[in-house]
Amino acid sequence: MDEQQERGAGRMRAWWRRGPGAAWRYGPRGLTGPGEGAAEAGGRSRLPWVSTLLITAFVMAGSTFAAHAQEGERVALDPFARLLLFAAGASLLLRHRHPVAVLSGTVGAVLLYLGAGYPYGPVFLVVAVACFTAVVAGHRRAAWTAMGTLWVGHLLLAHVLYRRLPPAGDSAASWNQEIVAATWVVALIAVSELARARREQWARERAERAQAARRRADEERLRIARELHDVLAHSISVINVQAGVGLALLDSDPEQARTALTTIKDKSKEALGEVRQVLDTLRTPGAAPRAPAPGLDRLPELVEQAAAAGLSVTVEGEAPDLAPGADLAAFRIVQEALTNVVRHSGSRNARVRMEERAGALHLCIDDDGPATGADAGGSGNGLAGMRERAAALDGTIEAGPRPDGGFRVLAVLPLTPKEDR
């Protein structure tokens, strides 16, 4: 899943490097014509053979019909005219790779065609397709210039040079015809600009979705890392303490050593179960967990485990009703705080105080110290993990030495999830 997301992100970065026209050239099949724009192996793209063939055939056949309809008014089609029509249509084959050159070439071919007195007809379709492609590819100034050149050229041919050009005896075109031609040019540019804006919007949305997917993946990785850290740090700390007790009492008090080994066995089994539950979410993303997430209702278990590690824990207050996410965060914060007392404090007493105040749960975990500097193999990420859990719920964490000695962890967690407020 991560690999697919990374590939999608790579394609999106390549899209931005190629520019706004890349969606037309290399976009998904839903946004390109058949046989066009689909990416091939090695980064090459297919030429638009199908659409070019259809447009060229339509222009050739349509011009033949137009010539019959304008017989006696315009010059009849000859081999040179058909060559111009074919060249203009065939040039569209390269319109995605060289949009500006193709647009300039089609405008020149059409002006030459009209200047030779050949019939009006679907030849303008070639210019329309070339203009649309150029605008969508981001060459807006070149498209406006080319279309302005076409209109001005037609204006000169129809009102200034018509006496010197075939057909003989031709008269000036009506100004209404020029207004229609100008309207056609503006409408074509407007439609092309709209298509370009839509494609850029589509690209931005794609980029935003890819960024959101990466952000969700990062958040999920952080969540799993916090869960694994909290589960393993607490369990291994208890196992470490009990292993030390068992080794110390193995000869002098075998029964007490047996009790320590039994605690190690039970705690390792519990840790394996919780790790398996976390890893199951990786194997089946989106599936419901097989066991409920731990919460403050399991606080008595933490007290028993701490007692097995030689730490006496006093609990004051009752836990209010919390949302599942806040309940899990509160449990993990208490678990990590007690684990730190076992690993780093010389005190064998700790206090957990819970109080509901101003729509939030106030959790306070105290020990009397002093710090021993001992480390049972922890990663040093415990406090960072607690802060991340609290921040994810719009809560806060304060942790540090108390003025009178010892250490205090104070967490404030909202009772209502932030999405419900």
Side-chain angles (χ1 to χ4, degrees):
M1 178 179 177
D2 289 344
E3 183 180 356
Q4 292 175 352
Q5 291 173 347
E6 194 62 33
R7 289 178 181 174
R11 286 195 294 270
M12 182 55 58
R13 289 192 293 269
W15 190 97
W16 282 112
R17 286 196 298 270
R18 290 193 295 267
W24 176 259
R25 297 191 297 272
Y26 305 103
R29 294 183 183 272
L31 293 178
T32 56
E36 303 176 39
E40 286 184 322
R44 297 173 299 175
S45 64
R46 299 188 184 99
L47 293 175
W49 291 98
V50 176
S51 60
T52 300
L53 180 61
L54 292 176
I55 292 172
T56 303
F58 176 79
V59 169
M60 298 287 289
S63 297
T64 300
F65 285 105
H68 288 298
Q70 301 173 46
E71 189 173 355
E73 300 177 8
R74 305 289 293 177
V75 176
L77 294 179
D78 55 20
F80 180 68
R82 297 187 185 279
L83 179 61
L84 282 177
L85 293 173
F86 178 80
S91 67
L92 295 179
L93 194 64
L94 301 175
R95 65 184 185 273
H96 297 319
R97 295 185 176 180
H98 308 287
V100 175
V102 170
L103 176 59
S104 301
T106 55
V107 168
V110 169
L111 288 177
L112 182 59
Y113 175 88
L114 297 177
Y118 296 122
Y120 291 97
V123 65
F124 293 104
L125 176 62
V126 178
V127 179
V129 173
C131 175
F132 181 87
T133 304
V135 172
V136 170
H139 303 285
R140 305 165 64 190
R141 183 175 298 177
W144 278 99
T145 302
M147 297 307 291
T149 301
L150 177 63
W151 184 74
V152 172
H154 181 266
L155 195 67
L156 291 174
L157 293 174
H159 293 274
V160 178
L161 303 176
Y162 67 94
R163 294 186 180 90
R164 303 177 184 178
L165 298 174
D170 192 16
S171 59
S174 68
W175 286 103
N176 289 336
Q177 183 180 354
E178 297 304 325
I179 294 175
V180 171
T183 303
W184 178 81
V185 169
V186 173
L188 175 61
I189 293 289
V191 171
S192 303
E193 290 285 356
L194 178 61
R196 180 191 60 82
R198 291 294 299 273
R199 290 176 187 277
E200 290 183 350
Q201 180 182 1
W202 171 82
R204 285 194 297 270
E205 291 173 354
R206 279 278 308 269
E208 290 171 359
R209 286 196 297 269
Q211 183 178 5
R214 289 194 297 270
R215 184 171 59 251
R216 287 194 297 270
D218 291 341
E219 291 173 353
E220 183 66 9
R221 282 194 290 268
L222 285 174
R223 185 191 70 81
I224 293 173
R226 285 196 300 266
E227 286 294 310
L228 289 176
H229 173 274
D230 292 347
V231 170
L232 295 178
H234 176 74
S235 302
I236 292 177
S237 294
V238 174
I239 290 172
N240 179 271
V241 171
Q242 292 300 318
V245 172
L247 287 174
L249 301 178
L250 186 61
D251 296 325
S252 60
D253 192 346
E255 189 61 31
Q256 187 65 28
R258 182 186 299 274
T259 301
L261 292 176
T262 301
T263 301
I264 291 174
K265 178 182 177 181
D266 294 340
K267 192 59 188 174
S268 61
K269 181 179 179 181
E270 178 186 345
L272 286 173
E274 293 197 36
V275 170
R276 188 177 296 112
Q277 180 180 348
V278 173
L279 296 181
D280 280 344
T281 62
L282 293 177
R283 298 191 182 97
T284 56
R290 298 180 181 179
L296 289 178
D297 58 332
R298 289 182 52 183
L299 194 55
E301 295 181 27
L302 284 182
V303 173
E304 292 179 5
Q305 294 165 5
L311 179 66
S312 176
V313 180
T314 303
V315 179
E316 302 175 4
E318 294 185 359
D321 292 333
L322 295 172
D327 204 17
L328 173 62
F331 176 82
R332 293 303 188 197
I333 289 172
V334 175
Q335 184 183 55
E336 179 63 26
L338 294 181
T339 299
N340 287 340
V341 174
V342 171
R343 287 163 46 189
H344 305 299
S345 176
S347 173
R348 295 296 88 191
N349 296 288
R351 292 175 299 281
V352 178
R353 186 170 68 253
M354 296 178 289
E355 182 181 1
E356 179 182 351
R357 188 167 67 240
L361 170 65
H362 291 248
L363 268 177
C364 184
I365 302 95
D366 283 303
D367 71 89
D368 297 327
T372 63
D375 189 354
S379 64
N381 293 323
L383 290 177
M386 287 193 285
R387 290 191 177 96
E388 289 173 358
R389 288 185 182 276
L393 301 169
D394 279 356
T396 60
I397 283 282
E398 297 178 8
R402 297 187 330 206
D404 57 347
F407 198 86
R408 168 172 292 174
V409 175
L410 176 62
V412 180
L413 303 177
L415 299 180
T416 304
K418 59 182 179 180
E419 59 268 17
D420 295 339
R421 283 180 280 155

